[in-house]
Amino acid sequence: MNWLIEIVLYLLLLTTAFLALSVKDLLAAAAAATAFTLTMALLFISMGAIDVGFTEAVVGAGIVGVYFIAAVSQTSRRTRD
Amino acid sequence: MTSPSQSVIIIVAGRALAPLIQLFGIYVIIHGHYSPGGGFQGGALLAAGVILLRMTEGRCAAQSEISTEAAIPVASIGALIFAGTGLVTLAFGGHYMDYGVVPVPGIEEPMVRYYGILLVEFGIGLAVMTALVAIFDDMLDDPSPENGDVDAGKPAEDLKRP
């Protein structure tokens, strides 16, 4: 049962990573990067590293996502390339 | 983000969530030395509560908790608590952060180590919380439209555009 959850988490990891890199809307890219970090934290916890997963969830999903949004608010919302 | 949000739901949800996040942060700091967590994670949670209030109600909110000017000095005080606890043990002839050598009357050595680690965690939490809030405040500082990008002058309208 545990490997089934991990496979779903890995698929979610790849999906959010691809979304964060490919989407043109920078706010959506920041949200996808935050979802990537949260999935990463869940994977760390499923591997037994509670402390690492907790730090990843707090810093990656809690603080860095907010910093991404603050940085997007200082520039244009869409990429030009 | 620099001005209060237009939606009542967002403001009420932010006001309701921020105290719970900060209570959990204090729990994580206090229980950090024998369970997952610690000063860094608890400090980041405390900072998340303040940043949530500043995001929802504009950057002038929660100034009585941490004002923008006081953030960096309080972070220095937290770093001083962290490093000073180690220096006190040096003064009593032990190694750096070897808390057991400090003679506290009425408390035996294991409990001195226990409270020493708690004091260090408190210093780390204070430093991390105020430093993260200071970074957030600096990122929202007034953008200067005169040097370079035209979009930099109007960030709030740009975010609302779908």
Side-chain angles (χ1 to χ4, degrees):
Chain A
M1 199 58 206
N2 204 9
W3 62 270
L4 205 60
I5 298 174
E6 282 195 25
I7 283 178
V8 171
L9 283 178
Y10 277 119
L11 285 177
L12 201 61
L13 198 70
L14 287 175
T15 313
T16 50
F18 178 75
L19 265 180
L21 288 176
S22 64
V23 76
K24 291 293 178 199
D25 191 337
L26 285 180
L27 202 60
T34 307
F36 174 85
T37 313
L38 194 63
T39 318
M40 203 70 223
L42 290 177
L43 271 172
F44 280 141
I45 289 172
S46 78
M47 292 173 197
I50 305 287
D51 212 357
V52 179
F54 188 32
T55 311
E56 181 86 16
V58 167
V59 176
I63 301 293
V64 176
V66 172
Y67 286 168
F68 278 151
I69 294 171
V72 170
S73 81
Q74 300 289 317
T75 176
S76 65
R77 188 166 161 181
R78 297 189 69 83
T79 52
R80 297 213 180 93
D81 53 350
Chain B
M1 201 172 296
T2 49
S3 57
S5 170
Q6 303 293 318
S7 166
V8 180
I9 295 174
I10 288 178
I11 290 179
V12 170
R15 281 180 186 167
L17 274 176
L20 296 177
I21 293 173
Q22 290 190 322
L23 190 67
F24 185 58
I26 292 170
Y27 170 84
V28 167
I29 289 181
I30 289 176
H31 292 259
H33 43 298
Y34 54 85
S35 70
F40 184 82
Q41 290 94 328
L45 279 169
L46 287 173
V50 177
I51 288 175
L52 181 65
L53 281 178
R54 293 208 176 156
M55 279 183 83
T56 54
E57 299 188 40
R59 57 175 310 203
C60 296
Q63 290 286 342
S64 59
E65 272 193 326
I66 305 175
S67 72
T68 308
E69 296 79 26
I72 289 296
V74 175
S76 312
I77 290 172
L80 193 69
I81 292 173
F82 171 62
T85 311
L87 289 178
V88 165
T89 62
L90 276 185
F92 283 100
H95 292 104
Y96 190 69
M97 291 195 173
D98 183 13
Y99 313 109
V101 299
V102 181
V104 182
I107 306 175
E108 61 266 35
E109 189 194 321
M111 290 310 281
V112 174
R113 292 188 189 277
Y114 180 95
Y115 288 119
I117 296 173
L118 191 62
L119 196 63
V120 164
E121 299 274 12
F122 175 71
I124 296 171
L126 201 63
V128 168
M129 172 194 185
T130 47
L132 289 175
V133 172
I135 292 172
F136 180 76
D137 281 343
D138 278 349
M139 287 183 82
L140 287 189
D141 250 348
D142 46 353
S144 47
E146 61 266 16
N147 49 2
D149 203 353
V150 192
D151 280 343
K154 40 181 189 351
E157 296 86 341
D158 214 10
L159 260 186
K160 286 193 195 89
R161 202 165 60 207

